[in-house]
């Protein structure tokens, strides 16, 4: 079983986290570090994927500035999404050559990790056919957007734990006019550290990794 280094980073601004991901991904391609799982939260930020559409950003620069929201274009898949306090963000840096060389299988495995984590809190989550992410009924509770380079992953997922959902008013989340939800909105009170610890256990099992701090 290969090891995976768990890094619980607390609150990190988006640019710093992106720089760390890129550095670790480069090192992983060269075999200088093992697989990594970064768990953190971001200050308020909206990101746009490489295939995203600016029309799904519903606010101009001045409105975002007044709301204290940064904006970043990224190289991940997916459209526009929001990150902020109370949201557990996970960035796996995995070499899929050591697992499965299958992007679809990887995304499904990330979804499964979130689904079984939510089940521990009594939340029945699942998938909607042809849509990426994790859903509770028709409401999205976790978004996924990944990037692969030479089979090494970066970017990842965002699970709404106690996120202020009002910030989603500034976007069409992932380009879909569907509502969002959070664990807190569903009546579950849990800290990011607690949810992250449970998620890391399931991640290690699903990806057949031995998690190391």
């Amino acid at each position: 079983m290969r090891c995976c280094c768990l890094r619980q980073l607390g609150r990190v601004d988006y640019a710093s986290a992106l720089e760390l991901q890129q550095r670790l991904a480069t090192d992983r391609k060269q075999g200088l570090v093992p697989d990594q799982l970064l768990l953190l939260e971001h200050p308020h930020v909206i990101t746009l994927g490489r295939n995203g559409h600016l029309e799904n950003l519903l606010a101009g620069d001045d409105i975002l500035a007044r709301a204290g929201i940064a904006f970043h274009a990224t190289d991940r898949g997916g459209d526009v999404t929001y990150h902020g306090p109370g949201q557990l963000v996970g960035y796996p840096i995995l070499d899929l050559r050591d697992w499965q060389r299958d992007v679809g299988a990887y995304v499904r495995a990330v979804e499964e990790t979130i689904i079984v984590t939510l089940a521990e809190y009594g939340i029945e989550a699942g998938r909607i056919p042809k849509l990426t992410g994790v859903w509770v009924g028709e409401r999205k509770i976790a978004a996924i957007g990944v990037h692969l380079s030479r089979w090494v992953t970066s970017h990842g997922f965002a699970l709404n734990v106690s996120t202020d959902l009002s910030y989603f008013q500034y976007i069409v989340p992932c380009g879909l006019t569907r509502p969002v939800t959070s664990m807190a909105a569903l009546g579950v009170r849990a800290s990011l550290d607690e949810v992250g610890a449970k998620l890391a256990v399931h991640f290690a099992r699903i990806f057949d990794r031995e998690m190391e701090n």
Side-chain angles (χ1 to χ4, degrees):
M1 184 180 295
R2 295 182 179 273
C3 76
C4 180
C5 179
L6 175 63
R7 299 185 183 221
Q8 294 174 294
L9 302 176
R11 189 171 297 183
V12 183
D13 69 86
Y14 189 82
S16 297
L18 181 59
E19 181 183 0
L20 176 59
Q21 285 187 76
Q22 291 170 337
R23 185 168 71 249
L24 289 172
T26 296
D27 289 347
R28 186 69 190 97
K29 291 172 194 174
Q30 297 173 1
L32 300 176
V33 297
D35 289 332
Q36 311 278 317
L37 176 60
L38 315 183
L39 295 179
L40 55 116
E41 67 175 338
H42 287 308
H44 301 295
V45 62
I46 288 172
T47 68
L48 182 69
R50 62 181 179 270
N51 299 317
H53 301 87
L54 270 175
E55 57 264 33
N56 290 323
L57 177 61
L58 304 179
D61 293 344
D62 54 340
I63 294 176
L64 294 181
R66 285 200 297 272
I69 304 172
F71 175 79
H72 287 272
T74 77
D75 61 355
R76 64 165 170 77
D79 206 291
V80 66
T81 195
Y82 161 79
H83 300 306
Q87 189 183 68
L88 179 64
V89 175
Y91 295 134
I93 313 294
L94 304 184
D95 189 338
L96 295 187
R97 292 175 299 179
D98 297 331
W99 186 69
Q100 296 181 44
R101 299 191 189 203
D102 186 324
V103 179
Y106 170 65
V107 173
R108 299 292 86 75
V110 172
E111 291 172 343
E112 185 64 18
T113 299
I114 298 168
I115 289 168
V116 295
T117 300
L118 291 170
E120 287 209 44
Y121 293 94
I123 296 174
E124 186 177 346
R127 301 176 178 88
I128 292 180
K130 299 182 180 179
L131 298 179
T132 300
V134 176
W135 307 77
V136 179
E138 291 293 315
R139 295 180 177 270
K140 194 169 199 175
I141 195 168
I144 296 173
V146 304
H147 176 75
L148 266 74
S149 175
R150 287 164 39 197
W151 291 107
V152 172
T153 70
S154 58
H155 298 283
F157 62 86
L159 170 62
N160 297 328
V161 178
S162 56
T163 318
D164 182 346
L165 301 178
S166 69
Y167 280 86
F168 284 94
Q169 69 182 295
Y170 299 108
I171 64 171
V172 180
C174 302
L176 302 170
T177 54
R178 290 173 183 257
V180 293
T181 192
S182 68
M183 294 175 66
L186 296 170
V188 174
R189 297 291 183 265
S191 69
L192 291 185
D193 286 345
E194 176 191 327
V195 177
K198 291 180 183 295
L199 184 142
V201 171
H202 292 298
F203 184 93
R205 175 181 58 80
I206 288 170
F207 285 96
D208 194 26
R209 295 292 187 266
E210 182 177 356
M211 203 64 76
E212 297 181 355
N213 291 309

